[in-house]
């Protein structure tokens, strides 16, 4: 638990045993602190700019046209068709829109519905640390236990032998995140093939969180693990329009996979939320068709400029930086600047420089926090002016 968090005197301890250990999400915490100190928020990963205005018109048109009641539970036909077409165009993969796609309230709910729909109490889930914060909480909600492989900084290389050692008879699901938050790592084809081989040999399912599928740089391209031989039948792929269209607040995501696995996701999704906001689904269906490869190319070009600016800035300020090939995050080692743990240094930055970054230790399990204690994560999904202002403050 982060030492600088306030304890709420009104807290009567009502949170269930399953969820109490996870406290408050680090993203909410850091954004609250950033706002309290009028700091530039490079902690929480959300763009400080809006996605294309045309998509707003698509949403208004949908509302005017009467798309205002519950949608089909698994997703508006127009949107599931757009998602299936996207998989076919981008990756040459074929999915049946009506049975193999489930639209979710952002990737977050898609991941939750999949974990809750697939796992039985006592099952084991394989994670890789550092991990996106919701993964262990989801396992706990499903009554599953977690086994986790630490990917070691600075290159976060995957040791397949150590991964294999973690697999046992109860291992049911591997939760992969590629491109990876917070490290910006993009798994190589060899690494993905290695993971695939182990999962096939040991009959392990894969839930692959690919929300940053379009945010890859330096000529690196994204490979969905589901596209590897033998993997389609055992993989659910999760993505979200939040990052791609810079509209994280719209919370339109999806889960795609073979019919029986998507049925498991849907079994939970129907009771978690039943259906996702209708006009925003309609708008996203149009957006996916309207904004093709040239939009993605421009998105990448802009993000590359932001990445390079942030990397240069952090290096100039004395941080130890590894250059991310994916996502919109940069990890920075504070060792050359301070003896303090990165969590304390993050607080100093917020208070004294009004710049907020995220302590990476929150992406590790209790007992392994030391792995991340020298690292801060800076988000570059911000306007260049915002990054410039952060540079001046630092
Ligand atoms: N997975 C990862 C790795 C993320 O970084 C995020 C948030 N940016 C999500 C899932 C959640 O996505 P959404 O906002 O669509 O729920
Ligand atoms: N995914 C975003 C990040 O990593 C934040 C998501 C959230 O606030 N829950 O910063």
């Amino acid at each position: 638990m982060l030492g600088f968090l306030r304890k709420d005197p009104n807290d009567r301890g009502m949170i269930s045993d399953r969820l109490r250990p996870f406290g408050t999400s680090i993203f909410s915490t850091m954004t609250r602190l950033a706002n309290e100190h009028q700091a530039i928020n490079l902690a929480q990963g959300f763009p400080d700019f809006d996605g294309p205005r045309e998509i707003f018109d698509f949403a208004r048109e949908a509302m005017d046209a009467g798309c205002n009641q519950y949608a089909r539970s698994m997703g508006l036909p127009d949107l599931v068709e757009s998602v299936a077409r996207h998989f076919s165009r981008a990756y040459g993969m074929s999915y049946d829109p009506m049975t193999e796609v489930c639209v979710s309230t952002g990737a977050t709910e898609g991941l939750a519905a999949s974990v809750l729909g697939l796992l039985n109490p006592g099952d084991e889930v394989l994670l890789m640390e550092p991990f996106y914060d919701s993964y262990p909480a989801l396992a706990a909600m499903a009554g599953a236990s977690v086994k986790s492989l630490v990917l070691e900084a600075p290159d976060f290389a995957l040791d397949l032998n150590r991964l294999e050692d973690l697999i046992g008879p109860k291992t049911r699901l591997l939760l992969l995140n590629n491109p990876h938050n917070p490290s910006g790592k993009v798994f190589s084809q060899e690494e993905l093939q290695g993971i695939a081989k182990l999962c096939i040999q040991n009959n392990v399912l894969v839930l692959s969180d690919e929300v940053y599928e379009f945010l890859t740089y330096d000529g690196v391209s994204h490979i969905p693990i589901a596209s590897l031989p033998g993997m389609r039948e055992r993989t659910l792929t999760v993505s979200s329009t939040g990052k791609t269209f810079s509209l994280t607040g719209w919370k339109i995501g999806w889960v795609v996979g073979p019919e029986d696995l998507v049925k498991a996701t849907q079994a939970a999704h129907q009771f978690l939320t039943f259906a996702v906001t209708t006009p925003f689904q309609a708008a996203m269906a149009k957006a996916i068709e309207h904004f093709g490869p040239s939009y993605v190319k421009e998105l990448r070009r802009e993000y590359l400029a932001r990445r390079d600016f942030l990397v240069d800035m952090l290096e100039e300020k004395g941080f130890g930086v590894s250059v991310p090939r994916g996502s919109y995050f940069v990890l920075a080692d504070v060792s050359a600047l301070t003896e303090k743990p990165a969590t304390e240094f993050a607080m100093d930055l917020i208070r004294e420089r009004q710049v907020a970054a995220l302590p990476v230790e929150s992406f590790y399990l209790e007992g392994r926090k030391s792995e991340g204690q020298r690292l801060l994560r800076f988000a570059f999904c911000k306007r260049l002016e915002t990054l410039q202002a952060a540079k001046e403050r630092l």
Side-chain angles (χ1 to χ4, degrees), residues 45 105-108 111 132 135 177 181 209 211-212 240 243 248 251:
T105 304
T108 307
L111 290 161
Y132 186 59
Y135 301 168
N177 176 207
N181 177 6
D209 177 349
V211 298
Y212 301 102
S240 165
K243 331 285 157 183
T248 58
K251 298 293 287 185

Side-chain angles (χ1 to χ4, degrees), residues 115 119 123-127 135 138-139 142 144-148 170-175:
V115 168
L119 296 182
D123 284 344
E124 278 173 11
V125 184
L126 283 179
L127 301 183
Y135 301 168
L138 294 179
S145 55
V146 162
K147 286 213 170 157
S148 155
K170 290 187 178 165
T171 310
R172 171 125 168 102
L173 182 74
L174 180 138
L175 223 165

Side-chain angles (χ1 to χ4, degrees), residues 25-28 31 43-46 108 132-133 181-182 211-212 243 248 251 328-329 358 363 377 379 381:
S25 155
I26 188 67
F27 304 115
S28 311
T31 289
Q44 192 179 21
F46 64 89
T108 307
Y132 186 59
D133 71 338
N181 177 6
V211 298
Y212 301 102
K243 331 285 157 183
T248 58
K251 298 293 287 185
Y328 45 47
F329 305 111
L358 202 91
F363 294 77
R377 190 196 78 175
C381 44

